[in-house]
Amino acid sequence: MRKFWSVLAALATLSLTNCGYNAIQSNDEQVKSSWSEVVNQYQRRADLVPNLVNTVKGFAQQEKDVLLGVTNARAKVGSIQATPEVLNDPAAFQKFTQAQGELTGALSRLLVVTENYPQLKSDSLFRDLVSQLEGTENRITVARNRYIKAVQEYNVGIRSFPTNFTAMLFGYKERPNFTVENEREISVAPKVDFNPSPAPAK
């Protein structure tokens, strides 16, 4: 009887190897690893924001709406827990990416506004923060691209025959991927006005 179970276990192991189970595990881990790097870079950006806001605040007190917008977007990002479970919940994933998109937009508006303050642009702390922010944005892009490729490989794997049967058997489902929120909006070049703002009335 013991020999029978040993043979059965060996056959089961062999069948799992040939049906794509191991490939699913490998691709799943790659998705999780890539996601961790995305979250890591988003966190790095979020950590830079308070210093950037405080630096701009010292030069541009009248830009309260823009500063408040960045602060609120940063708070919204911080309130969403980017746990691995987000990858299995398309609604939570969309909420996370929308919050990050709002912070990206708020930071873009802030940097456009700062063009009106020559002293601010020449401040070494501000230049250093902007440089770090630009570097972080590049890292976010790289991390997102790696995640997109990892999810693509995973999703193709669990939809391909015969691995799709193994995926169904063990409950593996497609993972959400990054998408463009509003294609029409991003196809229009942003308008940047470098004319100085009128001085506030006294």
Side-chain angles (χ1 to χ4, degrees), residues 14 24 49-50 67 98 114 119 126 140 142 174 182 187 189:
L14 187 61
I24 292 174
V49 168
L67 293 167
Q98 281 178 341
T114 59
Q119 281 182 298
F126 176 76
I140 287 171
V142 170
E174 286 185 55
N182 190 336
S187 66

Side-chain angles (χ1 to χ4, degrees), residues 36-47:
S36 294
E37 185 56 24
V38 169
V39 172
N40 181 42
Q41 296 306 329
Y42 275 136
Q43 184 59 52
R44 186 176 191 271
R45 177 174 72 171
D47 292 342

Side-chain angles (χ1 to χ4, degrees), residues 117-166:
Y117 299 90
Q119 281 182 298
L120 174 59
K121 287 192 293 182
S122 66
D123 180 73
S124 60
L125 177 60
F126 176 76
R127 287 202 315 266
D128 181 53
L129 285 168
V130 170
S131 176
Q132 287 187 56
L133 196 61
E134 288 170 351
T136 301
E137 292 296 335
N138 289 335
R139 289 185 181 97
I140 287 171
T141 301
V142 170
R144 280 174 56 125
N145 284 340
R146 286 179 181 157
Y147 174 79
I148 288 167
K149 288 176 184 174
V151 169
Q152 180 187 20
E153 192 170 336
Y154 169 85
N155 286 345
V156 167
I158 66 166
R159 291 174 62 193
S160 301
F161 179 83
T163 312
N164 59 333
F165 291 116
T166 306

Side-chain angles (χ1 to χ4, degrees), residues 75-125:
K76 192 171 182 180
V77 162
S79 69
I80 299 172
Q81 296 297 314
T83 60
E85 287 72 34
V86 168
L87 299 179
N88 298 319
D89 184 351
F93 184 85
Q94 186 178 15
K95 188 176 176 185
F96 175 84
T97 55
Q98 281 178 341
Q100 293 295 344
E102 286 177 28
L103 181 55
T104 298
L107 285 170
S108 296
R109 288 187 290 277
L110 177 67
L111 293 177
V112 168
V113 162
T114 59
E115 290 292 332
N116 293 325
Y117 299 90
Q119 281 182 298
L120 174 59
K121 287 192 293 182
S122 66
D123 180 73
S124 60
L125 177 60

Side-chain angles (χ1 to χ4, degrees), residues 3-99:
K3 188 174 181 181
F4 170 77
W5 287 114
S6 299
V7 171
L8 193 62
L11 287 172
T13 303
L14 187 61
S15 66
L16 284 176
T17 303
N18 293 330
C19 69
Y21 181 81
N22 290 342
I24 292 174
Q25 301 309 306
S26 175
N27 291 343
D28 186 49
E29 287 304 315
Q30 185 59 49
V31 169
K32 289 175 184 173
S33 172
S34 300
W35 175 249
S36 294
E37 185 56 24
V38 169
V39 172
N40 181 42
Q41 296 306 329
Y42 275 136
Q43 184 59 52
R44 186 176 191 271
R45 177 174 72 171
D47 292 342
L48 286 170
V49 168
N51 292 331
L52 183 65
V53 168
N54 287 333
T55 303
V56 175
K57 206 181 279 185
F59 286 86
Q61 288 289 341
Q62 64 268 40
E63 306 293 354
K64 288 179 183 174
D65 288 346
V66 176
L67 293 167
L68 188 62
V70 175
T71 303
N72 289 342
R74 163 64 172 82
K76 192 171 182 180
V77 162
S79 69
I80 299 172
Q81 296 297 314
T83 60
E85 287 72 34
V86 168
L87 299 179
N88 298 319
D89 184 351
F93 184 85
Q94 186 178 15
K95 188 176 176 185
F96 175 84
T97 55
Q98 281 178 341

